[in-house]
Amino acid sequence: MSAGEASVIGGWPRPRRAVPADSAELVRLRTLMFAAMGTATDKVADPVWQGECATLLQGWLGRPDSSVAAYVVDAPEAGLAASAVAEVTWRMPSPLRRDPRVAHVGSVCTDPRWRRRGLARAVLGALLADLDAAGVPRADLHATGAADRLYRSLGFVDVRWPSLRREL
């Protein structure tokens, strides 16, 4: 199966690797994700960040050497039903982790019309299999309460040190 093609199993399309033409739909799902997380409506609806995100995704998904991978499931009528995206970055090696590659998983979202059908598990499973095949040794993500069980069932665990952040 090549990028952009989906096969049907049990009446539902199988996850496929996202292509540049999926960018607008990936942003639509990302918008739904932020709204579900309680991000302020005016910020979620801002077309500036949405356009910037779509432009970046088009470029990233169009490069064979990209550090970004995304998997999607097509909705039955049109558009996307679910997505999961990973950005692979490099961190300095340490005594606990010699390989510098770390994936950050994000934009795991299922359109509300298609939830409770295992689509998030399907796209995230395909994405993690892709990262495993590439030899990426670690994947991190930020979990919401609604998805915590799913992530833990796929092997994600609490980290030893809590994250802190400073906006610059």
Side-chain angles (χ1 to χ4, degrees):
M1 183 169 60
S2 65
E5 294 178 2
S7 65
V8 177
I9 295 178
W12 197 275
R14 173 190 306 197
R16 64 172 173 81
R17 195 167 177 109
V19 296
D22 294 319
S23 296
E25 275 293 287
L26 284 165
V27 172
R28 181 185 69 81
L29 289 173
R30 189 166 168 79
T31 300
L32 291 173
M33 177 194 72
F34 283 126
M37 292 169 51
T39 304
T41 304
D42 61 320
K43 294 192 182 304
V44 171
D46 178 12
V48 175
W49 83 263
Q50 293 176 6
E52 292 168 348
C53 189
T55 299
L56 280 172
L57 283 167
Q58 284 175 341
W60 286 337
L61 297 174
R63 292 182 31 215
D65 64 339
S66 179
S67 61
V68 173
Y71 279 82
V72 298
V73 170
D74 295 298
E77 73 283 355
L80 298 178
S83 67
V85 180
E87 301 169 67
V88 178
T89 60
W90 293 68
R91 303 269 174 96
M92 289 191 303
S94 74
L96 303 176
R97 185 187 39 78
R98 291 178 55 196
D99 190 316
R101 296 171 299 160
V102 176
H104 179 78
V105 175
S107 293
V108 179
C109 185
T110 302
D111 185 298
R113 296 171 295 170
W114 309 114
R115 289 189 180 148
R116 313 299 309 161
R117 294 182 167 119
L119 300 180
R121 177 177 297 281
V123 292
L124 188 52
L127 182 64
L128 293 172
D130 193 59
L131 293 170
D132 284 341
V136 177
R138 187 177 99 194
D140 295 332
L141 58 73
H142 295 104
T144 62
D148 189 68
R149 258 183 51 203
L150 167 66
Y151 297 141
R152 289 181 187 281
S153 75
L154 292 170
F156 287 89
V157 297
D158 292 316
V159 294
R160 187 172 176 185
W161 297 283
S163 294
L164 300 174
R165 174 177 296 148
R166 178 176 184 249
E167 298 291 334
L168 301 175

